[in-house]
Amino acid sequence: MSPTFRNLIAGKWVGSVSRKTFENRNPADTRDLIGRFPDSDARDVEAAVRSAANGFARWSRTPAPARGDVLKRVGDLLVERKEGISRAMTREMGKVLAETRGDVQEGIDTAYYAASETRRLFGYTVPSELSNKWAMSYRRPIGIAGLITPFNFPLAIPTWKMFPALACGNAVVIKPSEDVPHTVTLLVEILLEAGLPPEVIQLVHGRGATAGKALVEHPEVPVISFTGSTATGAKIGETCGRMHKRLSLEMGGKNAMIVMDDADLDLALDGVLWGAFGTTGQRCTATSRLLLHRKVHDRFLSRLEDAARRLRLGDGRKEGTDVGPLIHEAARQKVERYVAIAREEGAEVVAGGRRAAGERLSRGWFYRPTILAGVRPRHRVAREEIFGPVLSVIRFGTFEDAVRINNSVPYGLSSALYTRNVNLAFQAMQRLDNGITYINAPTIGAEAHLPFGGVKQTGNGHREGGWEVYHFYSETKVCYADYSGALQRAQIDNY
């Protein structure tokens, strides 16, 4: 019999007020029921926010290095349990074990980095323009941070948001994707074991339209961080703008990998296979457009077709699996719709383009890695995010053409250029309109100590990760100390 999981509210594991639940199933084999989780609503969010206010009152007064000690212990526990969490994550969302191990490692790296940053929450001491007066600034926590996370990185993305928020002294209410509730439950259990005061972290399971919406709209939650679709992010942005909330959005991408005629084609082939079909293409940084120079287009495409057909689909926990399933049937149907659109627009399906056959694969949400040739920059499959194992191949003639094609989409997350020309490499870093550009590496991959995010419809200017995120989760307080013993008026008495 499958277990029933709970929310964590006010330091206790509790069901939803409505007593409703939803199922969490293995996308590689839908007969495998992982468990049932609370289908929470605004009443559960209200209880979580009330408790988080108590947690904030205590945690915000805890010295920052002591907060870092807790996060260091979280990292240690993640190291100890890396394999078990990785296997649970693959069972829950489908990507292969090598990837889920990387997902956990990213959480480990983020924990240790956050722990160290608690000793570097720097302010500034600056000269005053008046005599016998001291001027300085410092960073202080904001309050309750509402975090809404997606399915594709069930542990890494929650840690990107949660650990910096906690390091800065905020309390957290997290609403994970209803597609991957189990992994975040394991993470919250580790936080408690590491010594985080229980009311500092609240876990509310549920759907975006109910629990997520209630969290965004709650007047006592001044900070919201969301990773997900651009359409949902736009709605959240409207609410947060009206309510004067601080908001970080990390949304869609339509990332291009550019292969010049002087590129190392073996390296580029490895890169595009990983970039396009890693995580079954379910990454905001996935390589969804491949721009091939006309001099290498035909031979590179031929090699790519052959390599894509050899990719092995299956349960990510089994040795030899290269590509796992999509997260659910709706995601697979979306991929099918876009492949049909590509055909209507005149593109050619040269690999994949269909559901995976066979008894073993028919039990899950599998779709063959798909390559679309003859795609034009104006085609929908070259401009719209599909979020699946679909790669659109576009021929170009010059570097100028490649830059124009890359920059022509509404998104601006990641890009990649393969070339041996160092001058083109530096031009690409400057001219490709993306938050991230890779040289001779695919469009995916982030390091915990570097900022992550994009431009245009990918985000709203904030960054996850690195040093920049600590400015998002804290406020600048400016202080003046006048020890002159007399009234001094800035801009008046000193000129």
Side-chain angles (χ1 to χ4, degrees):
M1 185 174 179
S2 61
T4 297
F5 293 88
R6 308 289 183 186
N7 294 326
L8 179 72
I9 296 176
K12 297 179 180 179
W13 294 99
V14 295
S16 63
V17 173
S18 68
R19 298 186 180 180
K20 293 180 180 178
T21 62
F22 61 87
E23 292 183 344
N24 179 27
R25 291 184 178 272
N26 180 350
D29 185 348
T30 58
R31 300 172 302 174
D32 178 17
L33 178 62
I34 297 166
R36 293 177 173 83
F37 290 79
D39 193 356
S40 307
D41 59 28
R43 294 170 291 180
D44 304 289
V45 171
E46 176 63 33
V49 172
R50 286 199 308 269
S51 175
N54 296 329
F56 174 69
R58 174 182 175 183
W59 187 242
S60 61
R61 294 194 299 269
T62 301
R67 301 195 295 258
D69 292 342
V70 173
L71 292 169
K72 167 64 166 58
R73 288 194 290 273
V74 171
D76 293 342
L77 289 169
L78 287 171
V79 169
E80 291 176 15
R81 299 172 193 177
K82 181 177 179 179
E83 187 64 17
I85 295 172
S86 300
R87 290 187 173 276
M89 195 191 311
T90 293
R91 181 188 177 201
E92 179 169 54
M93 70 81 56
K95 62 186 177 184
V96 299
L97 271 174
E99 292 192 58
T100 52
R101 288 171 182 142
D103 198 308
V104 179
Q105 186 60 49
E106 200 161 340
I108 294 166
D109 296 342
T110 301
Y112 290 153
Y113 182 72
S116 69
E117 281 297 293
T118 60
R119 295 180 180 270
R120 290 190 295 268
L121 295 174
F122 296 138
Y124 295 92
T125 302
V126 299
S128 172
E129 63 189 40
L130 296 167
S131 300
N132 298 315
K133 185 179 179 182
W134 192 268
M136 66 179 183
S137 70
Y138 74 96
R139 306 204 67 82
R140 65 177 186 174
I142 302 171
I144 300 169
L147 313 180
I148 302 174
T149 58
F151 74 85
N152 53 346
F153 287 85
L155 188 128
I157 291 180
T159 66
W160 286 5
K161 300 178 187 296
M162 190 186 300
F163 293 172
L166 294 172
C168 290
N170 303 287
V172 164
V173 179
I174 185 166
K175 203 295 287 182
S177 168
E178 56 268 37
D179 296 313
V180 290
H182 186 222
T183 301
V184 174
T185 299
L186 298 176
L187 174 61
V188 169
E189 289 173 348
I190 285 175
L191 283 162
L192 297 177
E193 186 175 341
L196 186 71
E199 289 193 300
V200 177
I201 178 69
Q202 314 284 326
L203 170 60
V204 180
H205 294 293
R207 304 176 194 279
T210 49
K213 183 173 184 289
L215 183 57
V216 169
E217 294 178 348
H218 200 289
E220 301 303 318
V221 180
V223 180
I224 296 291
S225 180
F226 168 80
T227 298
S229 73
T230 297
T232 301
K235 294 177 182 178
I236 292 173
E238 291 174 2
T239 300
C240 290
R242 186 176 67 253
M243 300 182 72
H244 307 289
K245 292 174 181 261
R246 182 173 296 199
L247 172 64
S248 175
L249 295 173
E250 203 285 295
M251 302 178 289
K254 194 66 182 175
N255 314 292
M257 175 174 147
I258 302 166
V259 180
M260 299 300 298
D261 57 330
D262 68 337
D264 180 336
L265 297 187
D266 292 333
L267 182 64
L269 181 61
D270 288 341
V272 72
L273 288 170
W274 172 232
F277 304 124
T279 323
T280 320
Q282 298 172 118
R283 291 177 180 241
C284 53
T285 56
T287 304
S288 55
R289 294 182 294 161
L290 174 63
L291 279 54
L292 294 176
H293 192 281
R294 63 180 176 233
K295 291 183 180 179
V296 299
H297 178 278
D298 291 352
R299 57 194 166 105
F300 189 87
L301 180 58
S302 177
R303 293 182 62 187
L304 177 60
E305 291 172 34
D306 182 60
R309 290 193 183 100
R310 292 200 303 270
L311 292 173
R312 293 161 293 186
L313 277 65
D315 187 323
R317 295 171 294 179
K318 294 184 177 179
E319 190 72 28
T321 297
D322 298 311
V323 180
L326 288 155
I327 190 63
H328 45 50
E329 175 61 8
R332 184 164 65 174
Q333 290 177 358
K334 181 182 179 182
V335 169
E336 288 178 321
R337 287 196 302 273
Y338 271 101
V339 171
I341 289 168
R343 288 189 168 106
E344 292 169 4
E345 291 181 322
E348 179 187 1
V349 178
V350 297
R354 57 187 173 83
R355 297 186 179 204
E359 180 182 355
R360 176 176 56 88
L361 298 179
S362 66
R363 297 169 184 162
W365 312 122
F366 291 96
Y367 196 88
R368 291 287 176 190
T370 298
I371 301 170
L372 306 174
V375 175
R376 305 294 184 186
R378 68 178 183 277
H379 288 172
R380 288 181 62 186
V381 292
R383 298 182 58 80
E384 299 175 13
E385 187 175 44
I386 301 171
F387 225 65
V390 180
L391 177 66
S392 297
V393 181
I394 302 171
R395 185 195 302 260
F396 72 91
T398 67
F399 177 71
E400 294 296 324
D401 294 334
V403 171
R404 175 180 51 79
I405 294 168
N406 176 83
N407 294 350
S408 66
V409 299
Y411 302 104
L413 181 51
S414 184
S415 56
L417 175 71
Y418 280 74
T419 183
R420 291 184 171 93
N421 186 325
V422 67
N423 293 334
L424 285 186
F426 275 88
Q427 287 188 50
M429 287 187 276
Q430 182 177 20
R431 297 179 58 194
L432 296 178
D433 198 8
N434 306 95
I436 306 166
T437 294
Y438 296 86
I439 305 299
N440 294 324
T443 61
I444 65 177
E447 298 185 31
H449 59 293
L450 287 167
F452 177 91
V455 300
K456 299 191 283 190
Q457 292 186 24
T458 288
N460 66 337
H462 293 293
R463 292 292 183 266
E464 308 265 34
W467 56 91
E468 288 194 19
V469 72
Y470 293 85
H471 293 278
F472 174 75
Y473 286 111
S474 60
E475 292 180 319
T476 297
K477 177 73 177 285
V478 175
C479 302
Y480 298 99
D482 191 320
Y483 51 96
S484 67
L487 173 63
Q488 297 192 94
R489 299 171 297 176
Q491 295 92 42
I492 297 175
D493 292 338
N494 55 331
Y495 292 106

